[in-house]
PDB file of all heavy atoms in Angstrom:
ATOM      1  N   HIS A 112      57.711 -26.081  50.871  1.00  0.00           N
ATOM      2  CA  HIS A 112      56.326 -25.758  51.222  1.00  0.00           C
ATOM      3  C   HIS A 112      55.448 -27.004  51.283  1.00  0.00           C
ATOM      4  O   HIS A 112      54.230 -26.920  51.125  1.00  0.00           O
ATOM      5  CB  HIS A 112      55.757 -24.764  50.210  1.00  0.00           C
ATOM      6  CG  HIS A 112      56.495 -23.460  50.150  1.00  0.00           C
ATOM      7  ND1 HIS A 112      56.431 -22.529  51.156  1.00  0.00           N
ATOM      8  CD2 HIS A 112      57.335 -22.952  49.214  1.00  0.00           C
ATOM      9  CE1 HIS A 112      57.182 -21.484  50.836  1.00  0.00           C
ATOM     10  NE2 HIS A 112      57.745 -21.721  49.670  1.00  0.00           N
ATOM     11  N   SER A 113      56.054 -28.146  51.542  1.00  0.00           N
ATOM     12  CA  SER A 113      55.310 -29.410  51.522  1.00  0.00           C
ATOM     13  C   SER A 113      54.194 -29.440  52.563  1.00  0.00           C
ATOM     14  O   SER A 113      53.125 -30.014  52.332  1.00  0.00           O
ATOM     15  CB  SER A 113      56.261 -30.591  51.741  1.00  0.00           C
ATOM     16  OG  SER A 113      56.942 -30.474  52.983  1.00  0.00           O
ATOM     17  N   ALA A 114      54.413 -28.812  53.724  1.00  0.00           N
ATOM     18  CA  ALA A 114      53.378 -28.801  54.762  1.00  0.00           C
ATOM     19  C   ALA A 114      52.161 -28.001  54.299  1.00  0.00           C
ATOM     20  O   ALA A 114      51.012 -28.404  54.528  1.00  0.00           O
ATOM     21  CB  ALA A 114      53.926 -28.220  56.060  1.00  0.00           C
ATOM     22  N   GLN A 115      52.397 -26.869  53.639  1.00  0.00           N
ATOM     23  CA  GLN A 115      51.294 -26.076  53.109  1.00  0.00           C
ATOM     24  C   GLN A 115      50.548 -26.833  52.017  1.00  0.00           C
ATOM     25  O   GLN A 115      49.314 -26.810  51.954  1.00  0.00           O
ATOM     26  CB  GLN A 115      51.824 -24.756  52.533  1.00  0.00           C
ATOM     27  CG  GLN A 115      52.248 -23.746  53.579  1.00  0.00           C
ATOM     28  CD  GLN A 115      52.878 -22.531  52.927  1.00  0.00           C
ATOM     29  OE1 GLN A 115      54.069 -22.532  52.628  1.00  0.00           O
ATOM     30  NE2 GLN A 115      52.090 -21.500  52.700  1.00  0.00           N
ATOM     31  N   ILE A 116      51.300 -27.497  51.165  1.00  0.00           N
ATOM     32  CA  ILE A 116      50.688 -28.256  50.076  1.00  0.00           C
ATOM     33  C   ILE A 116      49.809 -29.369  50.624  1.00  0.00           C
ATOM     34  O   ILE A 116      48.675 -29.573  50.173  1.00  0.00           O
ATOM     35  CB  ILE A 116      51.782 -28.819  49.142  1.00  0.00           C
ATOM     36  CG1 ILE A 116      52.467 -27.670  48.394  1.00  0.00           C
ATOM     37  CG2 ILE A 116      51.195 -29.834  48.158  1.00  0.00           C
ATOM     38  CD1 ILE A 116      53.716 -28.077  47.633  1.00  0.00           C
ATOM     39  N   GLU A 117      50.301 -30.086  51.613  1.00  0.00           N
ATOM     40  CA  GLU A 117      49.528 -31.185  52.195  1.00  0.00           C
ATOM     41  C   GLU A 117      48.288 -30.665  52.920  1.00  0.00           C
ATOM     42  O   GLU A 117      47.216 -31.268  52.860  1.00  0.00           O
ATOM     43  CB  GLU A 117      50.403 -31.993  53.147  1.00  0.00           C
ATOM     44  CG  GLU A 117      49.677 -33.132  53.851  1.00  0.00           C
ATOM     45  CD  GLU A 117      49.007 -34.112  52.906  1.00  0.00           C
ATOM     46  OE1 GLU A 117      49.454 -34.248  51.752  1.00  0.00           O
ATOM     47  OE2 GLU A 117      48.007 -34.743  53.322  1.00  0.00           O
ATOM     48  N   LYS A 118      48.425 -29.525  53.591  1.00  0.00           N
ATOM     49  CA  LYS A 118      47.267 -28.931  54.264  1.00  0.00           C
ATOM     50  C   LYS A 118      46.179 -28.593  53.245  1.00  0.00           C
ATOM     51  O   LYS A 118      44.988 -28.860  53.475  1.00  0.00           O
ATOM     52  CB  LYS A 118      47.688 -27.663  55.003  1.00  0.00           C
ATOM     53  CG  LYS A 118      46.542 -26.918  55.685  1.00  0.00           C
ATOM     54  CD  LYS A 118      46.925 -25.498  56.046  1.00  0.00           C
ATOM     55  CE  LYS A 118      47.100 -24.629  54.817  1.00  0.00           C
ATOM     56  NZ  LYS A 118      47.422 -23.218  55.160  1.00  0.00           N
ATOM     57  N   ASN A 119      46.578 -28.026  52.118  1.00  0.00           N
ATOM     58  CA  ASN A 119      45.601 -27.667  51.096  1.00  0.00           C
ATOM     59  C   ASN A 119      45.000 -28.901  50.429  1.00  0.00           C
ATOM     60  O   ASN A 119      43.826 -28.901  50.055  1.00  0.00           O
ATOM     61  CB  ASN A 119      46.247 -26.756  50.049  1.00  0.00           C
ATOM     62  CG  ASN A 119      46.514 -25.369  50.597  1.00  0.00           C
ATOM     63  OD1 ASN A 119      45.715 -24.815  51.344  1.00  0.00           O
ATOM     64  ND2 ASN A 119      47.657 -24.794  50.249  1.00  0.00           N
ATOM     65  N   ARG A 120      45.803 -29.953  50.292  1.00  0.00           N
ATOM     66  CA  ARG A 120      45.247 -31.209  49.769  1.00  0.00           C
ATOM     67  C   ARG A 120      44.162 -31.733  50.696  1.00  0.00           C
ATOM     68  O   ARG A 120      43.101 -32.177  50.253  1.00  0.00           O
ATOM     69  CB  ARG A 120      46.354 -32.261  49.612  1.00  0.00           C
ATOM     70  CG  ARG A 120      45.860 -33.552  48.927  1.00  0.00           C
ATOM     71  CD  ARG A 120      46.636 -34.766  49.377  1.00  0.00           C
ATOM     72  NE  ARG A 120      46.459 -35.017  50.795  1.00  0.00           N
ATOM     73  CZ  ARG A 120      45.391 -35.630  51.315  1.00  0.00           C
ATOM     74  NH1 ARG A 120      44.395 -36.021  50.540  1.00  0.00           N
ATOM     75  NH2 ARG A 120      45.314 -35.826  52.617  1.00  0.00           N
ATOM     76  N   ALA A 121      44.425 -31.662  52.001  1.00  0.00           N
ATOM     77  CA  ALA A 121      43.438 -32.122  52.974  1.00  0.00           C
ATOM     78  C   ALA A 121      42.156 -31.296  52.878  1.00  0.00           C
ATOM     79  O   ALA A 121      41.050 -31.830  52.953  1.00  0.00           O
ATOM     80  CB  ALA A 121      44.012 -32.049  54.387  1.00  0.00           C
ATOM     81  N   ARG A 122      42.302 -29.991  52.705  1.00  0.00           N
ATOM     82  CA  ARG A 122      41.122 -29.128  52.581  1.00  0.00           C
ATOM     83  C   ARG A 122      40.308 -29.495  51.345  1.00  0.00           C
ATOM     84  O   ARG A 122      39.072 -29.570  51.404  1.00  0.00           O
ATOM     85  CB  ARG A 122      41.563 -27.668  52.502  1.00  0.00           C
ATOM     86  CG  ARG A 122      40.456 -26.704  52.124  1.00  0.00           C
ATOM     87  CD  ARG A 122      39.426 -26.549  53.214  1.00  0.00           C
ATOM     88  NE  ARG A 122      39.936 -25.730  54.293  1.00  0.00           N
ATOM     89  CZ  ARG A 122      39.183 -25.263  55.301  1.00  0.00           C
ATOM     90  NH1 ARG A 122      37.902 -25.565  55.347  1.00  0.00           N
ATOM     91  NH2 ARG A 122      39.710 -24.528  56.262  1.00  0.00           N
ATOM     92  N   LEU A 123      40.966 -29.730  50.229  1.00  0.00           N
ATOM     93  CA  LEU A 123      40.254 -30.121  49.006  1.00  0.00           C
ATOM     94  C   LEU A 123      39.553 -31.459  49.196  1.00  0.00           C
ATOM     95  O   LEU A 123      38.399 -31.637  48.788  1.00  0.00           O
ATOM     96  CB  LEU A 123      41.240 -30.204  47.833  1.00  0.00           C
ATOM     97  CG  LEU A 123      41.850 -28.881  47.363  1.00  0.00           C
ATOM     98  CD1 LEU A 123      42.975 -29.147  46.370  1.00  0.00           C
ATOM     99  CD2 LEU A 123      40.788 -27.986  46.726  1.00  0.00           C
ATOM    100  N   TRP A 124      40.244 -32.400  49.823  1.00  0.00           N
ATOM    101  CA  TRP A 124      39.659 -33.732  50.074  1.00  0.00           C
ATOM    102  C   TRP A 124      38.424 -33.611  50.956  1.00  0.00           C
ATOM    103  O   TRP A 124      37.380 -34.201  50.669  1.00  0.00           O
ATOM    104  CB  TRP A 124      40.705 -34.627  50.738  1.00  0.00           C
ATOM    105  CG  TRP A 124      40.239 -36.027  50.998  1.00  0.00           C
ATOM    106  CD1 TRP A 124      40.330 -37.095  50.151  1.00  0.00           C
ATOM    107  CD2 TRP A 124      39.603 -36.518  52.189  1.00  0.00           C
ATOM    108  NE1 TRP A 124      39.781 -38.217  50.737  1.00  0.00           N
ATOM    109  CE2 TRP A 124      39.334 -37.891  51.984  1.00  0.00           C
ATOM    110  CE3 TRP A 124      39.237 -35.932  53.395  1.00  0.00           C
ATOM    111  CZ2 TRP A 124      38.708 -38.689  52.953  1.00  0.00           C
ATOM    112  CZ3 TRP A 124      38.613 -36.717  54.361  1.00  0.00           C
ATOM    113  CH2 TRP A 124      38.359 -38.078  54.141  1.00  0.00           C
ATOM    114  N   VAL A 125      38.538 -32.835  52.024  1.00  0.00           N
ATOM    115  CA  VAL A 125      37.420 -32.653  52.952  1.00  0.00           C
ATOM    116  C   VAL A 125      36.230 -32.009  52.252  1.00  0.00           C
ATOM    117  O   VAL A 125      35.085 -32.464  52.392  1.00  0.00           O
ATOM    118  CB  VAL A 125      37.869 -31.795  54.157  1.00  0.00           C
ATOM    119  CG1 VAL A 125      36.674 -31.203  54.888  1.00  0.00           C
ATOM    120  CG2 VAL A 125      38.705 -32.634  55.121  1.00  0.00           C
TER     121      VAL A 125
END
Side-chain angles (χ1 to χ4, degrees):
H112 299 288
S113 59
Q115 286 175 275
I116 292 170
E117 178 56 26
K118 177 197 69 178
N119 288 321
R120 186 209 63 80
R122 170 70 75 170
L123 292 170
W124 182 89
V125 161

